[in-house]
Amino acid sequence: MPANNENIKITVVEKRGKRGCDYCHRIGDVYDYARDAGKLCPWMLTVANMYITKLRDGHTFSRGSEVPDGAVTFCCPDPRVMNIFQIEYTGKIEDKDHK
């Protein structure tokens, strides 16, 4: 479940399949996980949630030089579409009222 006090961005960075996405995700689309989860493909979210859980726990993933720290890329589970997504997790957003 998305938490409103976390900074999690999901970006469509590449497409490898021939078929269009049923949810109309296109390269360059950027989503805020907490705000936009209802707009995201449920198949993609199933995979994304596994990575987000690991990122929240402090896990890091092997990545290419083009992927920033605190990020991971993964493929859409639909082999006909194969959108490539990047998750960037920068942790909790500081609550200004509770410093």
Side-chain angles (χ1 to χ4, degrees):
M1 172 142 234
N4 289 328
N5 64 340
E6 292 181 300
N7 188 10
I8 301 170
K9 180 171 73 170
I10 299 175
T11 306
V12 184
V13 295
E14 188 178 341
K15 179 178 177 11
R16 295 186 184 169
K18 296 181 191 239
R19 185 169 178 257
C21 174
D22 291 337
Y23 275 76
C24 300
H25 296 316
R26 301 192 193 294
I27 295 171
D29 289 350
V30 179
Y31 300 92
D32 176 283
Y33 180 67
R35 186 185 66 228
D36 299 324
K39 299 175 186 175
L40 296 168
C41 170
W43 282 25
M44 181 279 288
L45 276 177
T46 299
V47 177
N49 283 326
M50 291 184 281
Y51 284 108
I52 289 168
T53 298
K54 292 301 236 176
L55 290 167
R56 283 177 173 152
D57 291 342
H59 187 84
T60 57
F61 296 91
S62 297
R63 59 196 186 285
S65 60
E66 70 281 356
V67 179
D69 289 340
V72 65
T73 57
F74 67 97
C75 186
C76 162
D78 186 340
R80 300 165 300 163
V81 177
M82 289 193 299
N83 282 329
I84 310 298
F85 294 88
Q86 178 174 287
I87 300 170
E88 292 178 72
Y89 176 75
T90 57
K92 300 279 185 189
I93 299 170
E94 188 174 314
D95 185 352
K96 295 177 184 175
D97 295 330
H98 295 95
K99 284 187 178 181

